[in-house]
Amino acid sequence: MNFGFFGIQYSFGLQQANMSPIYQYLGADEASLPLLWLAGPMTGLLVQPIIGAMSDRTISRWGRRTPFFMVGAILCSICLLFMPYSPTLWFAASLLWILDAANNVTMEPYRAYVSDRLNPDQHSLGFLTQSAFTGLAQTLAYLTPSLLFWFGLNKDAVNASNIPHITVIAFLIGSVLSFTTVWWSVHSTPELPLSLNERNAILAKPRGMQATLTEVRDAIREMPQAMRQLWWMKLFQWYGMMCYWIYIVPSLARSMFNTTDASAQGFRDAGLLNGQIGGFYNFIAFLAAFGLIPLTRRFGPKVVHAVCLSLAGLGMWMLPTIQDQTWLFVPMVGVGLAWASIMGNPYIMLAKSIPPERAGVYMGIFNMFIVLPMIIQMLTLPLFFNSVLGGDPRHVIQLAGCFLAIAAVLTLRVKTED
């Protein structure tokens, strides 16, 4: 059931690992990087709740969620195909806009699909299995350029846009995986048929965009208390994660290779190194997702999530101070544990608190809690990047560690309810 999530998350892993370097290859400066990432979260802010609400109300021969899976997967494949051939900054930023919209069209109904098929006592297994596929997919997405280099490709060969050929091939692989994995998941594990009562309840609801927007508004107004409390945790959690993803390659370029020049060999080496440590933390997430299942059942998702975020915060604080490449993998253990928890435990806390018939719209709104902090980060960080952080990306990584520690404290304040 979760195999299609592999392709979706491979695409996200390619973005996390490669978009900042691609922007800098095309001439962007470090201070403007957050603004160039802004397109994706802005799209998600609009797409996620609307698509979630629409999938709750859809009746088709393929099911409620499946049409959204397939349309999103096709668009995602097309965008990944063209991204590494971007001739200009505006072209790459525009493609990222469409790519994130396509991923969100697929992903939000996918989370509701897991909730649809599983009994409440299976939610922890279902969402943490989804987290495991996230870790495995992003491990391969991060490592693909390095694997191509280890197999004999020239890491310094670039195309007309100064983008390395190994990056181009990684995006072509992602284009194939995005569609084929979702197709296989739908083909092998179709949606459960709606009962007569469920079907009649959907047909009784008003149709059209106005009704969808009204449903989103009403769901926000009637949001459970636990979901409101989760917002504050997610604000600091995702602000910190975006700081890490946007600035990790420039940070490694300075701390490990003493360069700020995007055309230098050291900068390309920093990109490969990020792929290796990123692949490592995602592999840790893949393994940890299964290990967290008994811990979450015993201690609860709240405590486990707080511990994992704390370890990641400590790891990110240490990261820019490390000079030996081998030791970089130590803090990545904490980041991997946090990433496994981020992709599973908050959804377990949420699923306990929302009515099943509104799973789609609430999953969409909950993922607004991801994109809103990202938008806030992208709009605010450039304001103090030079004045407070000294224009140094290493300080941004340490700021990310502080924010994840705050998120850990706020997690303990959440009161889940059935």
Side-chain angles (χ1 to χ4, degrees), residues 67-312:
F68 299 96
F69 300 164
M70 299 310 300
V71 171
I74 292 169
L75 288 174
C76 180
S77 292
I78 293 171
C79 292
L80 289 172
L81 182 65
F82 288 103
M83 179 66 79
Y85 298 103
S86 299
T88 60
L89 271 175
W90 71 264
F91 189 93
S94 299
L95 270 183
L96 181 61
W97 195 301
I98 302 171
L99 176 60
D100 256 23
N103 271 324
N104 284 310
V105 166
T106 303
M107 187 172 67
E108 302 325 311
Y110 217 111
R111 291 198 183 279
Y113 162 63
V114 173
S115 182
D116 292 342
R117 286 198 60 105
L118 299 181
N119 296 323
D121 62 343
Q122 296 174 308
H123 282 163
S124 59
L125 178 61
F127 285 116
L128 285 170
T129 301
Q130 197 169 81
S131 176
F133 274 96
T134 298
L136 179 61
Q138 296 195 1
T139 296
L140 294 176
Y142 272 85
L143 280 178
T144 298
S146 291
L147 291 172
L148 293 170
F149 168 60
W150 294 333
F151 289 152
L153 273 71
N154 183 357
K155 65 183 175 64
D156 296 317
V158 298
N159 64 12
S161 300
N162 200 39
I163 298 172
H165 290 310
I166 54 177
T167 302
V168 174
I169 296 172
F171 273 80
L172 296 180
I173 293 171
S175 178
V176 174
L177 287 177
S178 287
F179 176 76
T180 55
T181 57
V182 172
W183 177 85
W184 171 253
S185 188
V186 170
H187 175 72
S188 62
T189 317
E191 294 183 58
L192 295 175
L194 294 171
S195 68
L196 182 60
N197 289 338
E198 290 172 328
R199 187 180 182 87
N200 289 337
I202 292 173
L203 291 173
K205 293 179 179 180
R207 321 294 286 179
M209 183 55 67
Q210 180 62 43
T212 299
L213 295 175
T214 301
E215 169 67 10
V216 173
R217 182 200 65 193
D218 292 345
I220 292 173
R221 183 182 299 164
E222 299 161 12
M223 190 184 303
Q225 179 189 12
M227 192 170 173
R228 295 180 188 274
Q229 293 171 334
L230 283 166
W231 154 254
W232 296 105
M233 177 274 288
K234 297 195 83 172
L235 172 63
F236 287 91
Q237 171 183 284
W238 287 105
Y239 196 113
M241 292 305 297
M242 282 309 297
C243 287
Y244 173 84
W245 287 326
I246 293 175
Y247 283 100
I248 182 59
V249 172
S251 174
L252 291 173
R254 291 199 185 200
S255 64
M256 304 302 300
F257 301 101
N258 196 30
T259 184
T260 60
D261 182 2
S263 64
Q265 178 182 339
F267 193 90
R268 291 191 293 273
D269 288 342
L272 282 178
L273 180 59
N274 174 54
Q276 292 158 23
I277 65 172
F280 177 75
Y281 90 68
N282 277 287
F283 184 67
I284 292 294
F286 168 66
L287 298 177
F290 295 108
L292 290 180
I293 293 171
L295 293 176
T296 296
R297 286 175 172 169
R298 179 172 181 179
F299 300 106
K302 181 168 64 175
V303 172
V304 172
H305 192 55
V307 171
C308 291
L309 288 179
S310 299
L311 293 173

Side-chain angles (χ1 to χ4, degrees), residues 334-375:
V335 177
L337 291 172
W339 189 230
S341 185
I342 285 170
M343 298 305 292
N345 280 318
Y347 295 93
I348 298 171
M349 289 186 268
L350 174 68
K352 289 171 64 67
S353 305
I354 60 175
E357 68 274 9
R358 301 177 88 177
V361 66
Y362 273 123
M363 287 295 177
I365 293 170
F366 197 54
N367 280 283
M368 288 172 63
F369 292 5
I370 298 175
V371 296
L372 280 172
M374 290 180 175
I375 292 170

